[in-house]
Structure formats: C-alpha cells, structure tokens
Amino acid sequence: MPAVLVHGVPDTAELWEPIRSRLTRLDVVCPRLPGFASPLPDGFACTKEAYADWLIRQLEGVDEPVDLVGHDWGGLLTQRIATTRPDLVRTWAVADGAVSPTFRWHELATQWQTPDTGEQIMDLMTPDALVAALRDARHPDPEGAASRADDTMKRAVLALYRSAVDVGPEWSPPPDRATPPAQVFWGAHDPYAPPAFGRAVAELAGAPYLELDAGHWGIFERPDEVVPVLEQLWADS
C-alpha cells in the first residue's frame, strides 16, 4: 500500500521533499490539491467538502488502504477521511492541522473568511510580501511557495476557508469514534494553531503525540525526528 502525503495552505506537493527524501519506502504519493499548482476540475467548488470528496476519490482508486499523512489543511482532510472512511486508511498521521472541540481559527483565517477583507489581503500578498511573511513564519521554502501562489490558489484558499467557518463543530469526531492507528505531530511554536489543539486531537484519536521544537511547518523543520516515528507507525500496523 502507498503512503499518501497531503499538503496544506498555501503549499503544494513540493513541500514534502524533506520527508519523502528520508523515507526508506518508495511507494510514496504526494497529490496536488486542485487549484494548488494544479488545474481546477470543471465546476469544482473549492469547499472543504469538495476537497474531502476529491481526496476520497483518489484513495478509492488504490487497491488497498493507505498510510495517510497530512499537514495543515492536509491534516484536516486526513482526519476527516480517517474518521469517516476508515476503510480507505491503514494508518494516519497529522501535523499542525486537525480539529477538536477546542479548535478556533487564527486571525488570518478569520480575515480570509470575511468578504472583501479576504480579497484585499490576497491583493496585498505579492510574491515579495508572501516570501517575507512565510520566512517570518519559519516556512522551509518561502521563495518556492510564493512562486506557486497564483490567483487560482488565492481564490481556492478564500473559498476553502469560507466553507469552513464552523469546521470545528462540523468535523470534530466524537470521542468514541474508532479509527485506524494514528500519530499526531505539532510545532511547539506554531503561531496559527497552539499545541493545545494538537494534544486535544491526539486524545480524541487515542494517538501518540510528539511536540517538536519548531513552528507551524515543524515536520519539515525537523524531518530527522519525524521520519523514524512515521516509519515505526507503519511498521507496527
């Protein structure tokens, strides 16, 4: 079965290279979410439900359950699929993105969710401004990420966040929901989602929790710590 690594916002499949290059397995797939350096299918709504359904269709095309890993919005999608379609998932892991009853959106997300304000912010996100913001947030590749953040991605981000104002209550799994084996990673210095969010997700999933001395993109800052944990999860399952 493959390992499927799902990126978040404002990222693309290239983000996974620090992880992928260290894995001993070769059956690794890094899909590009529609609109993220990838064409949008005709009529694709860019809502959280549309992205979850799209990823489910990709996994349904695999002959057996996969090892699913997600970061940021990829984590929310991973958690959603693991808790609603566990038949598609052998193991799952999330990093700095998943929901629980403690979940609250960060300030930038609420601005994106606000009509007109979100569009104004996207207009201000020139390549140079985005590089500076991502560098300040300890992104592992600010220049590369900024070069791929085109108008299609910006529109997709706004639609996605506006569909997810209430994602906490809508997607938080009940505490007794059984899922495949899981692992939670979180950056101790994540400015968007505090570690308390990660600990709550781990408790809901009955999963081990690893807090990294890193920011929001912690698994890419600390790949040498993360990869052995992922490979142990897979080996034990």
Side-chain angles (χ1 to χ4, degrees):
M1 81 299 296
V4 179
L5 315 183
V6 188
H7 67 82
V9 174
D11 292 306
T12 59
E14 286 82 358
L15 179 72
W16 288 105
E17 186 55 29
I19 301 291
R20 185 173 188 168
S21 64
R22 288 168 170 81
L23 292 172
T24 57
R25 65 192 295 175
L26 300 179
D27 58 338
V28 179
V29 178
C30 302
R32 293 180 181 274
L33 296 177
F36 290 75
S38 175
L40 283 172
D42 290 342
F44 191 80
C46 296
T47 63
K48 67 184 192 299
E49 290 81 9
Y51 280 106
D53 290 345
W54 178 87
L55 187 54
I56 285 170
R57 289 194 297 273
Q58 308 309 304
L59 301 183
E60 287 176 336
V62 182
D63 292 336
E64 54 189 330
V66 305
D67 295 317
L68 191 59
V69 184
H71 173 260
D72 185 80
W73 256 104
L76 273 75
L77 296 172
T78 291
Q79 180 192 36
R80 181 63 173 173
I81 293 170
T83 55
T84 61
R85 289 294 308 273
D87 57 302
L88 299 175
V89 179
R90 189 180 79 109
T91 69
W92 59 287
V94 296
D96 298 87
V99 294
S100 72
T102 68
F103 178 85
R104 299 292 183 275
W105 280 119
H106 53 86
E107 182 179 358
L108 180 58
T110 62
Q111 292 172 342
W112 283 341
Q113 289 164 344
T114 304
D116 296 331
T117 300
E119 282 77 7
Q120 292 171 17
I121 290 173
M122 289 300 183
D123 287 343
L124 294 172
M125 289 175 60
T126 63
D128 287 346
L130 186 53
V131 167
L134 291 174
R135 184 178 292 122
D136 287 346
R138 297 169 60 169
H139 192 285
D141 180 21
E143 291 81 7
S147 72
R148 294 183 284 271
D150 59 11
D151 288 342
T152 298
M153 183 189 292
K154 292 178 181 180
R155 289 192 296 270
V157 168
L158 292 181
L160 174 58
Y161 275 84
R162 288 171 183 177
S163 76
V165 172
D166 296 317
V167 69
E170 290 174 352
W171 277 17
S172 289
D176 58 351
R177 176 73 55 85
T179 70
Q183 171 70 47
V184 177
F185 302 97
W186 221 266
H189 314 295
D190 188 332
Y192 309 112
F197 288 6
R199 290 191 289 270
V201 170
E203 183 176 356
L204 274 177
Y209 172 77
L210 177 60
E211 191 166 301
L212 303 164
D213 183 14
H216 181 68
W217 287 271
I219 60 171
F220 310 105
E221 289 185 62
R222 306 285 184 180
D224 291 332
E225 297 176 42
V226 170
V227 166
V229 177
L230 280 177
E231 296 197 320
Q232 191 63 56
L233 171 68
W234 300 334
D236 290 344
S237 302

